[in-house]
Amino acid sequence: MSSASNSESLAQVMKLEELSEEKKEMMWWWSLLGVRIAALLFCLTAFAVLAANKQKVVVEEEFNWLGWDSTDNSKREEQSYSFRWDDYEQFTYCVAVNVIGFVYSALQIGDLVKFLITKKHTVNPKLRGYFNFAIDQALTYLLLSASSAAATTIRVYKSGWVIGGGHTFIEMANASVALSFLAFVAFALASLASGFTLAKF
């Protein structure tokens, strides 16, 4: 009688432990879903803000045919040019990377939602883990590179853009870069989570 009672108690304890582990695992997947949603929103707003920047900035520069340091004013000419955000490779690069990050995040969210509903993985979990970790790492570095390039461009050309009346352009570009850096942080967290998931599950 005592042996049967002990067996039942042990079975109940093991069942509770399994439920506890399952609950922890589900909480982990929900947390990862939250990180993916954050990455998607930051990427979306980053490229949307910059793409919506329709202001055309006109910049006037003085060019000296004898060289920039020459004091002969008779050879000086004033030239003006206008540009939009997509005239700079750094901004185009930043938008492109954020678009890729947005699409990838959307696919990840769809797959996670399917798993949370059905409790079944679309592909082999181990193979999926390697894929997620590799892509998360790549996009993390790309976002850091693109955001840094765009931020450097703003800093270098800001004074000329201010003279050309590009205040709105600068504000929107700064906002886009800040959001792009936040997307980088979200992907860095996702990358850490992917590494942990690969090791644990």
Side-chain angles (χ1 to χ4, degrees):
M1 186 72 177
S2 177
S3 177
S5 178
N6 289 337
S7 297
E8 288 179 3
S9 298
L10 182 60
Q12 289 178 352
V13 170
M14 291 179 65
K15 187 176 181 180
L16 288 173
E17 287 180 352
E18 288 177 1
L19 289 172
S20 178
E21 285 297 319
E22 184 179 348
K23 186 177 180 180
K24 287 179 181 178
E25 184 177 341
M26 293 308 296
M27 287 179 64
W28 171 257
W29 291 117
W30 278 105
S31 300
L32 182 57
L33 178 62
V35 173
R36 295 292 186 193
I37 292 174
L40 178 137
L41 292 176
F42 287 137
C43 285
L44 172 63
T45 50
F47 77 75
V49 168
L50 194 54
N53 195 346
K54 301 298 184 182
Q55 184 180 18
K56 181 178 286 188
V57 182
V58 179
V59 179
E60 292 187 357
E61 287 186 350
E62 196 175 69
F63 180 74
N64 193 319
W65 292 102
L66 298 179
W68 292 102
D69 297 328
S70 174
T71 56
D72 187 353
N73 293 328
S74 64
K75 300 297 182 181
R76 293 181 181 274
E77 276 188 16
E78 285 191 355
Q79 296 182 342
S80 64
Y81 64 91
S82 62
F83 66 88
R84 286 168 26 91
W85 67 269
D86 50 354
D87 290 324
Y88 285 88
E89 292 181 356
Q90 296 87 342
F91 291 144
T92 305
Y93 173 40
C94 190
V95 167
V97 172
N98 276 284
V99 168
I100 294 170
F102 168 76
V103 174
Y104 171 74
S105 297
L107 293 174
Q108 285 286 353
I109 289 169
D111 188 62
L112 272 171
V113 169
K114 179 181 178 295
F115 168 73
L116 290 170
I117 293 172
T118 64
K119 304 296 187 296
K120 293 180 181 179
H121 289 286
T122 306
V123 295
N124 182 279
K126 203 69 176 178
L127 181 63
R128 181 176 182 271
Y130 283 117
F131 174 80
N132 289 350
F133 182 70
I135 301 300
D136 286 337
Q137 286 278 321
L139 282 172
T140 298
Y141 290 122
L142 284 172
L143 280 166
L144 179 60
S145 170
S147 303
S148 300
T152 302
T153 301
I154 295 171
R155 183 173 181 180
V156 170
Y157 295 102
K158 183 177 180 179
S159 59
W161 295 346
V162 170
I163 295 173
H167 300 283
T168 302
F169 181 91
I170 294 169
E171 289 175 1
M172 295 183 74
N174 278 327
S176 177
V177 169
L179 289 164
S180 187
F181 272 115
L182 289 174
F184 154 72
V185 173
F187 266 96
L189 291 174
S191 181
L192 291 173
S194 296
F196 179 79
T197 303
L198 182 62
K200 186 174 178 61
F201 305 115

